[in-house]
Amino acid sequence: MACIFCEIIAGRVPGKIVYTSPDVTAFRDINPQAPTHVLIIPNRHIASALEIGASDAVLLGRLFEVANELARKEGIAEEGYRIVINVGPNGGQTVGHLHLHLLGGRRMTWPPG
Ligand code: 5GP
Ligand code: ZN
């Protein structure tokens, strides 16, 4: 089944890409929920956080490393921001390719909706 995020990585679907590398890609969310809303994803198709195991430790570190780099580049690192991973239907996951949401530029509320 075609995965929209795999298509964006492959360049077959346009995306506002802000970071590329052999293992991780980041692009702006098409429906931003904050002034900064970037999605950070592994280039390898992983359906959700539920599939992550110890063998993915390096990749997970890379996802956070890229999130940190982009938070600094977007100018939200000092004031703070939120990293979100939605998992499954109750978690609000709508795209079946693991992604970190990097959200910033406004005050976040808690608890999340
Ligand atoms: P989820 O709900 O799975 O945690 O997050 C999926 C996110 O992907 C949503 O915030 C949604 O706006 C975004 N999204 C869905 N389709 C596309 C697309 O084709 N391009 C981009 N840039 N973002 C998308
Ligand atoms: Zn995919």
Side-chain angles (χ1 to χ4, degrees):
M1 198 180 74
C3 165
I4 189 71
F5 287 179
C6 282
E7 294 294 299
I8 290 173
I9 291 166
R12 288 189 288 267
V13 166
K16 291 185 183 169
I17 292 174
V18 295
Y19 180 90
T20 53
S21 72
D23 58 350
V24 176
T25 298
F27 50 91
R28 298 201 187 277
D29 196 293
I30 202 167
N31 182 22
Q33 300 301 313
T36 291
H37 189 171
V38 173
L39 302 173
I40 299 140
I41 71 174
N43 293 356
R44 174 164 61 93
H45 183 90
I46 298 173
S48 88
L50 194 56
E51 292 194 354
I52 294 171
S55 63
D56 300 308
V58 171
L59 179 61
L60 268 189
R62 282 282 299 139
L63 291 170
F64 276 86
E65 182 177 58
V66 172
N68 292 347
E69 181 181 324
L70 292 173
R72 293 193 180 93
K73 198 176 276 184
E74 297 280 322
I76 59 174
E78 294 303 318
E79 290 189 321
Y81 53 92
R82 187 167 290 174
I83 290 173
V84 174
I85 303 177
N86 296 322
V87 184
N90 272 5
Q93 185 177 4
T94 59
V95 175
H97 184 130
L98 176 66
H99 49 284
L100 272 62
H101 294 259
L102 175 68
L103 296 145
R106 68 168 172 86
R107 188 79 176 198
M108 300 296 157
T109 59
W110 191 265

